[in-house]
Structure formats: C-alpha cells, structure tokens
Amino acid sequence: MSSNTRSNAAHYVAPIEETPLVAVDSVKASGRVSNLWTDAWADLRKRPMFWISSVLIVLITFVALFPGLFTSEPPSSGCYLENSNGGPEAGHPLGFTKQGCDVFSRIVHGAATSLSVGIIVTILILVLGITFGALAGFYGGWVDSVLSRVGDIFFSIPYILAAVVVMSVLSQYRNVFVIALAIGLFAWPSTSRVLRAEILRVKNSDYVMSATAIGVSRFKILLRHVLPNSIAPVIVVTTIGLAGAIVAEATLSFLGVGLPNTIMSWGNDISAAQRDLRNNPMTLIYPSIALSLTVLSFIMLGEVLRDALDPKARATR
Amino acid sequence: MTGYILRRVLQAIPVFFGTTFLIYFMVFALPGDPILALFGDKTPNPAVLEQLRAQYNLDKPFIVQYLLYIGGIFRGDFGVSFSGQPVSEILARTFPVTLRLALIALVIEMVVGIAVGLVSGLRKGKLFDSSALVVSLIFISLPIFVIAFVFQYVFAIQLGWARPTVGSGAPWSDLILPGIVLATISFAQIQRLTRSSVIESSGLDFVRTAASKGLSRRRIVPVHILRNSLIPVVTFLAVDFGTLMVGATVTEGIFNVPGVGNTLYQAIIRGEGPTVVSFVTVMVLIYLVVNLVVDLFYAVLDPRIRYVK
C-alpha cells in the first residue's frame, strides 16, 4: 500500500479482515530506516572516489602497521655508501639515496610516522574542537564569548608557524608525540568553529525543545541530542584536517624542525634529497609521491563525505 | 557602519594581546632553558648567553618581561636577529620583495582560478569541469615544497625556461616561477569556490529575471553571476593568508628569493631561535591586520555584514 493512501487514512476505515492493520494507521516498522547516515552511505557507495580513497587508506594503514611484509630491508642500518645514488636493482625497486639507503624501504617505513602524526593530531583536534565548539555553541552567552575569543587567538597563528616556534624551543624533545602536540594545539579552532555554527542551527530544533519540555538536563540534551545531530560537518573537517596534519609534519621535517633523522619521515627524505636534485631527482620524487598519495586519499575521502553528508553540496556537485 | 568598524576593531585587541602573549609564553614557559633551547644543537658562547638573558629581561618577573616585549612591538622594535641586525631593518629590506612575489602569485591565482572556476560552473558536469576538478584535487594534495621542487627541476633545470634560483635584486622575470608555485596553493580553492558559487547564483531569481528581460549571456555572466560569486573568494583569500605566508616561507627558501619568508626559512634551517620567534610574530601581526582590513572592506562591499550583530 502506498503512502498516498495513508494520508487519507483518517476518514478511511478498512474492513479489518481484508487489510492488515499496519497498512492503515501506522508507519511500517519493518521499512527501511532513512536518516542522514543511511542516505549518506547510499550516496557514498555509488561513488568511485569513495572506494578509491578507502582502498588507498586501507593500503597505507596496512603498510604502516606491517612494514616488514613489504620490504625486508631495514630502513636505515642497511645503508652502504658503495650504493650511493644507485639505480633500481633486484630487491631494491626504487634504487638508493645518496647515503646508499634503499629508497623503497625508507618510504615503507615512513608511512607509520605520517599516519601516527595524522591520527594523534586528529584526536587532539576532535577533543579540543568538540569541547570548545560544543560548549560555546550550546551554552552561548559569556561562555561563548570567552571560548570563541580563545579560539580566535589560536586561529590567528597559522598552525605551521606556531609549530615552528614550539619545535624550535623544544629542540631536545623532538619525537612523534611532541610534533603532533605542536600541530594539534593550534589546528583545532577551525573544527570548533564549524561545530559551533552547526550547533547554533540545531539547538532550536523541535526535538531539543521536546527534550527540554520533558525535563531532560541541559548537559544530557547536549550529549544525547544536539551533538549527534551536529557532528557530520565535524567529520568532514577532521578528515581533511588529518591530511593537513600529515602535510604539516612533512613541512616541519623538511624545514629541519620536525623529526630527527633517526625517525623515518617522508619530509626528512625529501629534505635530504633536495641537495641532490640535479643528479638524482627520483630520490626526491618517490617520497613526494608517497606523501601526496596519502594526502590525496584523505582529502578525497573528506570531499566525498562532505558531498554525502551535506545535501546542499550535492546540488552543486 | 561606524558601530561595525568599532566592534571589529575592539574584537581585534584581545586577539592581538592573546597571540603575542601565546607566542611569548611558548618560548619562555616551555620546559628547559629558553635561551639554551633557542640555540638548538649548538653550544653558545657564555658571553652571548648573558647578553641574550639581559636582552630578553629574563631576570624580571614573567609578566613584566611580556609587557616590555609588547612595548617594544609598539615602538616598532621586533628584537634583534641572530647576526645582530635589528629585525625592523631586515623587514624594510625584504618586505618589498615578498610583496612583489605575493602580487604575482595573487594575480595568477585570481585570474586562472576565477576563469577556470567560472567556465567549470557554467558547464557543470561537462568534460572541462570534471578535468578541472581532478587537476584541482591534485594541486590541493601536493605539499608546496613538492610543487616547488618539481617546477624547479622541470621548468628551470630541465627545460631552462627560468632560473632555478632568483638572482640578486630579485628581478620580476626571476620571480615568475616562484610566483606560479605560490599561486598553486590557493588556485585550486579559488577555482572550486568560484565554481560552486557560480552554480549557486546561476539558479537564483535575479539571473532568471535578467535572462527573461532579454539580456544577453555576455552581460548576465560577468555582471550578474560573476560579481555575486566573488564575495566568498575575497573572504577566502583573507582566511587563507596564513597558508600563503607559510607557502611563501617555503617557496622563498627553495628559490632563494631574498624576502621575508626566506629570512625566516634560513633562520629555521640554521636553528636561529630568536630570529624565528621575531619573524613568526611579525607574520602573525601582518595576518591579523590583513584579516581586519578585509573584514572592514567586506562590510563596505556587502551591506548584510554590517547589520548582523
């Protein structure tokens, strides 16, 4: 029975023995549940860009977790100067760096660094961004004024420049956690701004008023009703932010204030290869490709998520 | 209007104090001897240490130190670089070069970005549009130093169309290649913004009215569609100014452009902490001023902004 009939159901009494009750006066409980997330999934699964980016991300994660499966070469101890700038040979598909290190092995081992910086920064951005954005947007008033101004301050220092200062000062403590902290501490305001704006839109909805009317506490309303309904744009911003964090780490390492040479990092490899750009450009190109592909896959994922989660964006696609 | 300007300027004051305080706090409150840490791996001369301690007023309470530092900024004193030159003097020398580089980048990214975005938006879903989207996605994903090296290698070293590094005096012709590199950072974003706002405004009532009035396409596109699509682009440029500064630092470093960014780049590479901090502060202040000016300018362009509380 189509939904057309149901709209007239108020004046229609069906002979009970002929029509099942559910078709007359109730919404079909067994029907497909349709909400933002199922719609988004239905949209996502049809898009090749979603599958390409997902497969790439799964592959990169796999490389980062189990580098030993992809290369048997140790990342740094296997460097012999007699191989300096050597071309590809059996077992060393991408040749050697000036120091005689296996390029492919360094790239494989660098994946974990980029990914872990990206993930730690993302966690930081989520925790700080959601806390600031949710409290500012939901409670408003002076809470909003104070938190938003604090956000403005952090937003006004471009996060790579801030991280340059932090990393210059903490030169004795350079590792994955410190660099992620330096980036994450200044990268969260864009997330909190997006969440705040979304909460301002959501918090006047009927279901929030209903929850208030039946006496649900303010904090519980925020947690159970407002946040879950305003989290979609945050997911989009954070996915793209993860890509930004990976670029930031590589940029800092490239500038020499990121990770020390003892830690495999694509930024370090690119930085080392630049001195030999004329003679052996491929040692610079290969880590650059790895870096760009990783960044590309997260940005692609962020973009398809944005299209899927924002019906308005779908219109301009 | 006056109310809006006043409100916006008042809002900038706590942000100014907040950012400078934050940078100052980061340098002098993080663990370790701040002066020693500023040297990185190098071991400084004890005399230099003493002199630096006095210079940064480290014998006084923290808040006094900060206020002295702020007082210096207001007098145009941004400190002294590692080599003993006042930062303000270095700025006076290097800023014009960076301004020229930024101008080249800005013109290229605006012209190319808006043109490609406009055509994409008008031919939504066609071959040109899809290829432009793929190209922009690639440009968004490539970190600036990768683009810089690839362009330097291909166009300067291999093809010989430009010089790989900028010569003395930074002539305009040498600045074109780094300018193009710098432009690629924002080009993709401008193209996408223009595209989506062109699509959005194409469907609006006033465009339909213009068309039904019998206006030619040639008049509707620039006057009705494009002009209304430019506001988000201007806002984006202001917000994205920070990325541009980071990009300028890397690009100027790689192409050896004698600008503000290169000074910061060299200081970072050599681990010259005090210079790094001074220049980061200067860049943050420039960023604040640019955003303030663009916000005010924006209010002149779009009356809706000044009436929103």
Side-chain angles (χ1 to χ4, degrees):
Chain A
M1 185 157 283
S2 75
S3 59
N4 251 356
T5 344
R6 240 200 302 127
S7 59
N8 306 325
H11 307 290
Y12 172 69
V13 181
I16 254 162
E17 60 278 24
E18 278 176 25
T19 319
L21 192 60
V22 358
V24 182
D25 64 357
S26 67
V27 179
K28 222 164 121 198
S30 58
R32 195 176 72 88
V33 185
S34 173
N35 61 30
L36 179 67
W37 304 103
T38 54
D39 286 355
W41 173 240
D43 184 55
L44 277 180
R45 53 191 286 184
K46 283 188 303 220
R47 302 200 60 193
M49 232 166 89
F50 170 72
W51 293 109
I52 296 172
S53 59
S54 305
V55 167
L56 275 173
I57 290 171
V58 169
L59 181 73
I60 294 159
T61 315
F62 206 67
V63 171
L65 288 176
F66 311 105
L69 290 181
F70 295 86
T71 173
S72 53
E73 284 295 311
S76 55
S77 59
C79 305
Y80 301 103
L81 271 179
E82 70 218 48
N83 293 331
S84 179
N85 283 343
E89 55 182 69
H92 307 282
L94 303 183
F96 299 90
T97 67
K98 189 168 194 179
Q99 302 300 323
C101 306
D102 180 45
V103 172
F104 182 69
S105 155
R106 288 189 69 92
I107 290 176
V108 165
H109 284 89
T113 310
S114 281
L115 219 55
S116 35
V117 170
I119 290 168
I120 301 171
V121 171
T122 304
I123 293 171
L124 269 171
I125 290 180
L126 280 176
V127 170
L128 290 169
I130 290 181
T131 311
F132 274 73
L135 295 179
F138 190 66
Y139 289 102
W142 66 268
V143 180
D144 182 21
S145 301
V146 171
L147 295 183
S148 292
R149 285 299 86 73
V150 172
D152 282 353
I153 291 169
F154 280 83
F155 190 77
S156 299
I157 310 181
Y159 63 88
I160 293 189
L161 289 183
V164 162
V165 172
V166 174
M167 296 306 285
S168 301
V169 175
L170 293 178
S171 53
Q172 298 103 319
Y173 308 90
R174 286 178 187 165
N175 59 45
V176 169
F177 281 101
V178 172
I179 196 170
L181 211 68
I183 299 168
L185 275 182
F186 288 86
W188 58 268
S190 39
T191 304
S192 80
R193 283 183 175 194
V194 166
L195 180 62
R196 175 179 172 275
E198 188 69 8
I199 285 186
L200 287 182
R201 204 176 61 80
V202 163
K203 77 172 178 186
N204 293 323
S205 312
D206 290 344
Y207 56 81
V208 176
M209 273 183 248
S210 315
T212 316
I214 59 169
V216 181
S217 80
R218 293 286 284 163
F219 191 66
K220 208 167 169 191
I221 292 178
L222 172 62
L223 234 47
R224 295 283 298 276
H225 300 288
V226 175
L227 259 187
N229 283 297
S230 42
I231 208 75
V234 172
I235 294 174
V236 174
V237 178
T238 333
T239 314
I240 294 173
L242 202 156
I246 292 175
V247 173
E249 182 273 316
T251 308
L252 291 169
S253 294
F254 167 75
L255 288 171
V257 285
L259 297 167
N261 285 328
T262 46
I263 302 175
M264 295 300 121
S265 151
W266 295 332
N268 276 338
D269 285 359
I270 295 170
S271 174
Q274 64 165 313
R275 282 170 224 123
D276 224 20
L277 184 63
R278 276 169 197 272
N279 303 325
N280 199 358
M282 291 326 273
T283 51
L284 186 139
I285 300 296
Y286 289 132
S288 301
I289 291 176
L291 175 64
S292 308
L293 263 184
T294 311
V295 173
L296 178 68
S297 46
F298 281 106
I299 285 185
M300 275 191 340
L301 184 66
E303 300 234 318
V304 286
L305 279 174
R306 170 183 299 148
D307 289 351
L309 289 171
D310 182 359
K312 236 169 52 186
R314 243 180 271 173
T316 61
R317 191 154 76 208
Chain B
M1 188 67 191
T2 326
Y4 172 81
I5 294 177
L6 207 67
R7 204 163 48 232
R8 185 61 188 78
V9 172
L10 282 179
Q11 250 178 26
I13 292 173
V15 176
F16 165 76
F17 282 103
T19 45
T20 47
F21 185 81
L22 201 61
I23 295 174
Y24 200 77
F25 182 82
M26 283 194 298
V27 176
F28 295 98
L30 285 173
D33 185 321
I35 296 298
L36 265 185
L38 289 174
F39 285 87
D41 307 331
K42 303 167 184 68
T43 318
N45 185 329
V48 176
L49 270 188
E50 276 313 303
Q51 193 239 326
L52 275 175
R53 265 185 232 284
Q55 185 190 321
Y56 286 97
N57 302 306
L58 283 181
D59 39 347
K60 305 185 181 70
F62 178 74
I63 198 76
V64 177
Q65 295 172 27
Y66 169 69
L67 289 175
L68 284 169
Y69 165 77
I70 283 288
I73 288 183
F74 276 116
R75 289 193 308 272
D77 171 15
F78 294 99
V80 176
S81 83
F82 208 71
S83 53
Q85 252 186 318
V87 169
S88 45
E89 254 175 45
I90 301 180
L91 271 179
R93 194 181 65 232
T94 53
F95 197 72
V97 180
T98 301
L99 214 58
R100 281 196 289 149
L101 179 68
L103 201 69
I104 294 178
L106 215 62
V107 168
I108 295 175
E109 69 191 28
M110 294 275 279
V111 171
V112 181
I114 292 174
V116 175
L118 179 67
V119 177
S120 280
L122 294 175
R123 300 189 187 161
K124 184 182 150 193
K126 300 277 169 57
L127 181 68
F128 180 87
D129 182 29
S130 342
S131 9
L133 277 184
V134 173
V135 171
S136 72
L137 201 61
I138 292 171
F139 273 116
I140 291 177
S141 307
L142 287 171
I144 178 77
F145 52 95
V146 172
I147 299 182
F149 281 130
V150 170
F151 277 38
Q152 192 182 37
Y153 184 74
V154 174
F155 296 113
I157 298 178
Q158 287 295 313
L159 297 171
W161 291 353
R163 294 223 300 220
T165 52
V166 172
S168 66
W172 285 94
S173 55
D174 280 9
L175 288 178
I176 291 178
L177 186 61
I180 293 174
V181 170
L182 196 54
T184 58
I185 308 182
S186 311
F187 150 73
Q189 308 274 9
I190 292 179
Q191 180 242 320
R192 290 170 160 232
L193 263 177
T194 313
R195 175 184 180 271
S196 57
S197 44
V198 162
I199 293 174
E200 216 180 293
S201 22
S202 301
L204 291 182
D205 288 346
F206 61 82
V207 173
R208 215 170 26 200
T209 310
S212 52
K213 235 168 33 166
L215 287 184
S216 68
R217 195 85 181 131
R218 198 169 266 222
R219 179 148 177 84
I220 295 174
V221 170
V223 177
H224 294 88
I225 296 180
L226 189 59
R227 240 171 74 179
N228 276 287
S229 310
L230 289 185
I231 293 176
V233 175
V234 174
T235 326
F236 164 79
L237 283 178
V239 176
D240 200 52
F241 194 73
T243 326
L244 188 76
M245 288 193 300
V246 174
T249 306
V250 173
T251 313
E252 289 186 4
I254 290 172
F255 288 96
N256 204 22
V257 181
V260 184
N262 194 23
T263 318
L264 176 60
Y265 177 86
Q266 299 297 341
I268 298 171
I269 296 275
R270 299 200 192 114
E272 298 172 358
T275 319
V276 172
V277 176
S278 309
F279 275 87
V280 169
T281 313
V282 169
M283 286 191 163
V284 169
L285 294 181
I286 295 175
Y287 182 57
L288 286 180
V289 171
V290 166
N291 270 286
L292 182 63
V293 170
V294 170
D295 271 8
L296 298 180
F297 186 63
Y298 191 27
V300 177
L301 282 182
D302 187 348
R304 278 170 302 183
I305 303 296
R306 4 177 223 243
Y307 298 119
V308 177
K309 214 188 138 301

